Amino acid sequence: MGTSGRSPRFVQTPGLGGSSSVFNLDENDWTTTLTPQHLGSFCPTDSPSFTEDMTTTTAFILKEDDPGEAASVKLFPEFLMMFLKLSSTSLFDLVDEYENACRNQVTLLKKIVTRATPGQQKFSKTASVLWLLQQEMVTWRLIASLYRDRIQSALGEESMFEVAPPNATEKIIMEKLFQRDSTVRQSQLVVDWLEDIAKDDIGDFAEKIEFYAKSVYWDNTLHTLKQRRMNAFTGFSRPLVSELDPDAPIRQKMPLMDLDREDDNRLLKYLFTLIRAGMTDEAQRLCKRCGQAWRAATLEGWKLYHDPNINGGSELKPVEGNPNRCIWKVCCWRMAEDEQFNRYERAIYAALSGNLKQLLPVCDTWEDAVWSYFRVMVDTLVEQEMWASGASMGELEKLPREYLEANWTFEKVFDELKATDRKRILEENQEHYHVVQRCIILGDIDGLLDEFSEWLARSQSPLPAHLLRFMTHVMLFFQSLGLQSKEDVTIEVLKKYIQLLICENQSSLIAFYVSHLPQDLGIHQYAAFLEAVTELDERKHCLKMAKDAGLNVAAVTKTVVENIRKRDVGTFTHHDLSPSLDSVTTEEDRMKIDVIDWLVFDPTQRAEALKQSNAIMRKFLASKKHEAAKEIFKKIPQDSIAVIYKQWEEQGMDSSLPAEDDNAIREHLCIRAYLDAHESFNEWFKHMNSKPQKPSLPAQAGFKEKVAHEHKEKKYEVDYDIWKGHLDALTAEVKERIYNVLLFIDGGWMVDVREDLEEDDHERSLQMISLRKLCLPTMCFLLHTVLHNTEQYQECLRLADLISSEQHCLYKAFSKEELRKLLCKLRESSLLLLDQDLDPLGYELQS
């Protein structure tokens, strides 16, 4: 059966496109794989079309320190957009899009590589990225090819089980085999894949090959022989063949002219390269072009015989294939075994006859070796089917028994590769993408995930960014097919990729990948990312992305706040131990203040905003960071309490608010009362210490000085009256606000009213008790300061009644030392009352 443009194979399978490095074609260094430093060997960089395609964007990218990474960073959002667009409709279209995206990027990077200065570090980096993307591109191609077939096989179509009829031709037998046997079918897909990789690399080089011989082969030898027959002196006395038929050099064991022998060697190497790339038709055209039509004919005999007229019919149809294919194959096998032939000539006929032993010596790369094994596997399986059906008896018996009875499997192929003595192939066998490709061919997804896990565990340096992206998306692909099993590995890969996206500042992409983690872990991962997001607009954008990705936004924002507020593990500090009246707000405090913004974007989180802000302010109040506490308080919208009640009512609830929300509202009001009282005292204290100074008259003042003094006294009296009026107002205000704290309704300041809690927050309860002990005595001392300095001594003494009252139990918040200090202050006020001829409690003395 003929296949246009392909090397010998037995069935037309879906075509594959793409490129990767397989075989080089220059006599000096074309025998090695295309490394990143060799890229562009087959691309004419001086062609007008190539040069014109170099855009301003590409030129700009060349200025980057790492042009490859700079040019390829767009793949991260592209892959996500493609997944969101196609994953729910057509997974294989998605894989095709992945391949196309990589191909476009490879094209761009090749242009960058050709414009970069060789030897520069950034050139090597770009070449490395290019190689990774080439490997990724062909891997997606392999996945699409094999898993399309595997999914179709799993559907169990009837045609899969059809058997060829007794009088079937070789072609029909082969077609039925491919329909029912997934092993041979997928083996051929692997061969096609590897041939297409090689084909993309060599391009149209065959048209550019220059040989000394054109239309006549061995024309140098022919010319010399003609000269000798004419008895002309040629200056060449070395023995030569005397005949020029194709077998003459072997039969006569005599050489050709050096130029002809060189031509032959080069031609045979190129022919093998074309056959390695599946370009048998191109190889035959090259033979004809070089005057070796007979060699082109030897490349034709592999085609399976088929007579469409065997079952009769009104119209006579042409016969296909080679009726003597078995004889031809035995001849090819023998030529491959004959050491008199060139190594590439032997490899050509080894490939055509399935002679693995003679094919492997010219396979320098991993791709070459895998191609050899799978090509021979397909060849063997087909011949075994022919043998079993009786279509090929006789001549095939002359082939070695180990060939006809070989029991090839995918696993055996890769076991053989591991056992090879070729150092380069062994090294390439361990490369990341070759490991992936091996697992894909084997269909060993668990093994692939184990490899991923090992890479993550043993990698001393971070894995390449594009490799991590590929690992993530290939897992999502298998997950969509329902083929993935090891959740722990999936989680680790996703976590690594998410960390990479955070480092690359790809904030718009992170939420989607987090959504594929288990819910609790996803919440903590996204929260950890949001901790570093400080810009308001970016915060809103990240929350929108989280909502679109289906994350629990409320849980995420709550976790962000809790993570930041719990970083300070210090205990509450007693005011007396604090060095200043109001501690300075630190950068860490500023983070705690700003983090509350996460909870005010969504009105449904107002209750949580109150709870979290209360928790942060409790710590601030304990540390005397009143200004920081005020800033947090300002973050909470003023209508928050009303919004909470409204939302509860909208839910159709007739009962009171949940105890947690009710207590949070009460605590919020307690803190507001305390901050108001503290702010009023600061204003009073500042005003108290800005009293106008009474002017003084010098002892020997003259008339002018006395007149000026009188004016100053009048101004002083006016200023003093204003100051005194303002002081009285401030005094009344601060008294009221401090009393609001000391006499807070329904049980006292920082005391919960509701005790029907779903969960008891023990830490919060302890903090509130501590705050009462820290803040209430302070409020009492501040109130005494206000009353004492405004000469309200009698009211100072009433503080003792207030504190000792069992109704408010304020005395429980005082330590013994604080009570002793308070009594000393009350004693001072009482002494001043005695100085006013009043009794110690401020009442008039009874005569």
Side-chain angles (χ1 to χ4, degrees), residues 512-769:
F512 168 79
Y513 298 99
V514 169
S515 69
H516 284 76
L517 293 171
Q519 185 176 22
D520 290 344
L521 179 59
I523 288 171
H524 284 88
Q525 284 284 313
Y526 203 65
F529 154 64
L530 293 183
E531 289 178 27
V533 180
T534 56
E535 295 296 329
L536 184 63
D537 290 340
E538 189 177 357
R539 285 182 170 185
K540 291 180 179 179
H541 176 69
C542 290
L543 290 184
K544 182 181 182 300
M545 294 295 102
K547 183 178 180 181
D548 294 343
L551 295 178
N552 185 338
V553 176
V556 168
T557 51
K558 177 183 176 181
T559 305
V560 176
V561 178
E562 288 183 341
N563 287 348
I564 291 180
R565 76 173 177 81
K566 290 180 179 179
R567 287 178 183 174
D568 180 14
V569 295
T571 57
F572 276 29
T573 303
H574 197 286
H575 285 191
D576 288 348
L577 301 179
S578 298
S580 62
L581 183 65
D582 200 355
S583 300
V584 177
T585 302
T586 64
E587 284 299 321
E588 187 174 345
D589 296 333
R590 179 63 54 194
M591 290 182 64
K592 293 178 181 178
I593 294 168
D594 292 339
V595 79
I596 292 297
D597 288 333
W598 288 112
L599 296 173
V600 299
F601 294 129
D602 184 359
T604 61
Q605 288 191 272
R606 292 296 172 81
E608 188 62 38
L610 287 187
K611 295 172 189 175
Q612 296 295 340
S613 62
N614 289 345
I616 298 175
M617 286 190 287
R618 286 197 298 269
K619 280 290 186 77
F620 283 163
L621 294 183
S623 304
K624 294 185 68 176
K625 297 182 177 182
H626 301 111
E627 290 303 319
K630 288 177 188 176
E631 289 192 54
I632 286 192
F633 203 90
K634 293 175 183 177
K635 294 278 187 181
I636 306 299
Q638 295 182 358
D639 63 345
S640 292
I641 296 176
V643 169
I644 293 171
Y645 278 106
K646 182 179 179 181
Q647 290 172 355
W648 185 252
E649 292 171 359
E650 288 176 350
Q651 294 177 18
M653 301 296 182
D654 297 330
S655 60
S656 58
L657 282 174
E660 291 83 358
D661 294 354
D662 215 352
N663 287 339
I665 291 174
R666 178 180 172 83
E667 182 183 354
H668 180 76
L669 296 175
C670 288
I671 294 173
R672 183 170 73 179
Y674 179 82
L675 292 176
D676 287 347
H678 193 274
E679 184 177 7
S680 293
F681 176 80
N682 286 341
E683 291 181 12
W684 175 88
F685 186 82
K686 182 179 179 181
H687 188 71
M688 184 71 185
N689 289 282
S690 62
K691 181 179 178 180
Q693 297 297 316
K694 187 174 181 178
S696 59
L697 183 66
Q700 297 180 352
F703 176 76
K704 290 183 179 180
E705 286 81 1
K706 290 179 179 179
V707 173
H709 177 69
E710 289 177 0
H711 284 291
K712 290 180 180 179
E713 281 191 329
K714 289 180 181 179
K715 184 177 184 305
Y716 163 75
E717 290 173 357
V718 173
D719 292 343
Y720 180 82
D721 289 341
I722 295 173
W723 174 85
K724 185 65 170 64
H726 193 194
L727 177 66
D728 292 342
L730 290 175
T731 301
E733 181 182 84
V734 72
K735 282 170 55 179
E736 178 184 3
R737 290 187 171 181
I738 292 178
Y739 277 124
N740 285 344
V741 174
L742 299 177
L743 306 177
F744 205 88
I745 60 172
D746 296 335
W749 187 77
M750 283 294 185
V751 176
D752 286 338
V753 175
R754 298 278 296 278
E755 297 183 355
D756 52 328
L757 303 173
E758 294 182 5
E759 295 183 9
D760 186 19
D761 190 342
H762 184 64
E763 181 183 4
R764 175 177 175 275
S765 299
L766 291 177
Q767 289 181 354
M768 293 180 71
I769 293 171

Side-chain angles (χ1 to χ4, degrees), residues 386-431:
M386 298 296 175
W387 184 276
S389 65
S392 298
M393 302 296 286
E395 290 296 330
L396 283 183
E397 293 179 350
K398 297 178 182 179
L399 295 177
R401 183 170 294 276
E402 58 268 22
Y403 167 77
L404 294 173
E405 297 180 357
N407 184 24
W408 285 107
T409 63
F410 292 175
E411 291 77 7
K412 183 177 179 181
V413 167
F414 290 105
D415 288 342
E416 293 276 346
L417 280 176
K418 289 180 182 178
T420 184
D421 57 355
R422 306 285 289 277
K423 182 179 178 181
R424 177 175 177 178
I425 294 176
L426 284 174
E427 291 175 351
E428 292 183 355
N429 196 47
Q430 298 302 316
E431 290 176 355

Side-chain angles (χ1 to χ4, degrees), residues 296-340:
T298 66
L299 304 180
E300 185 78 10
W302 62 271
K303 296 181 179 178
L304 296 174
Y305 179 70
H306 175 63
D307 184 358
N309 308 299
I310 195 169
N311 294 321
S314 58
E315 183 180 349
L316 190 64
K317 298 179 181 178
V319 176
E320 303 174 14
N322 181 6
N324 299 309
R325 188 181 64 84
C326 295
I327 299 174
W328 169 88
K329 186 162 192 170
V330 171
C331 291
C332 289
W333 186 285
R334 290 174 178 172
M335 286 184 68
E337 295 285 337
D338 194 336
E339 295 183 359
Q340 297 181 76

Side-chain angles (χ1 to χ4, degrees), residues 135-154:
Q135 288 296 317
E136 180 182 352
M137 175 181 68
V138 298
T139 304
W140 284 121
R141 191 186 308 165
L142 176 65
I143 291 171
S145 176
L146 287 179
Y147 277 91
R148 272 194 180 102
D149 184 81
R150 287 167 181 169
I151 294 300
Q152 291 173 357
S153 298

Side-chain angles (χ1 to χ4, degrees), residues 49-213:
S49 60
F50 184 90
T51 305
E52 291 170 5
D53 286 342
M54 179 56 69
T55 62
T56 304
T57 303
T58 307
F60 177 78
I61 290 173
L62 282 171
K63 298 178 181 179
E64 298 287 339
D65 291 336
D66 192 344
E69 286 292 345
S72 305
V73 71
K74 69 177 183 178
L75 284 177
F76 295 104
E78 278 186 9
F79 265 59
L80 176 55
M81 286 188 290
M82 288 184 287
F83 185 90
L84 294 174
K85 180 181 178 182
L86 295 171
S87 62
S88 60
T89 56
S90 175
L91 280 175
F92 292 107
D93 287 347
L94 172 64
V95 175
D96 290 341
E97 288 297 315
Y98 286 164
E99 181 192 342
N100 290 335
C102 292
R103 180 184 294 110
N104 293 337
Q105 202 60 36
V106 165
T107 302
L108 174 62
L109 292 185
K110 282 183 177 179
K111 295 177 182 179
I112 293 176
V113 168
T114 58
R115 291 289 292 270
T117 303
Q120 288 184 348
Q121 185 179 9
K122 67 180 182 179
F123 169 79
S124 62
K125 288 181 179 179
T126 301
S128 177
V129 174
L130 173 55
W131 185 86
L132 282 172
L133 293 180
Q134 284 180 312
Q135 288 296 317
E136 180 182 352
M137 175 181 68
V138 298
T139 304
W140 284 121
R141 191 186 308 165
L142 176 65
I143 291 171
S145 176
L146 287 179
Y147 277 91
R148 272 194 180 102
D149 184 81
R150 287 167 181 169
I151 294 300
Q152 291 173 357
S153 298
L155 298 177
E157 298 178 1
E158 293 182 2
S159 61
M160 296 289 185
F161 307 102
E162 291 184 7
V163 180
N167 63 340
T169 62
E170 288 183 334
K171 177 182 175 182
I172 299 298
I173 294 172
M174 176 274 299
E175 288 177 345
K176 298 301 181 183
L177 171 65
F178 270 76
Q179 288 174 3
R180 72 172 187 273
D181 192 326
S182 61
T183 298
V184 67
R185 191 169 59 251
Q186 290 171 23
S187 298
Q188 183 64 54
L189 289 173
V190 173
V191 173
D192 291 347
W193 170 67
L194 290 165
E195 289 180 348
D196 278 327
I197 293 173
K199 182 178 180 179
D200 286 343
D201 275 337
I202 65 176
D204 59 351
F205 87 99
E207 298 297 330
K208 301 173 183 176
I209 295 174
E210 296 295 333
F211 290 98
Y212 298 107

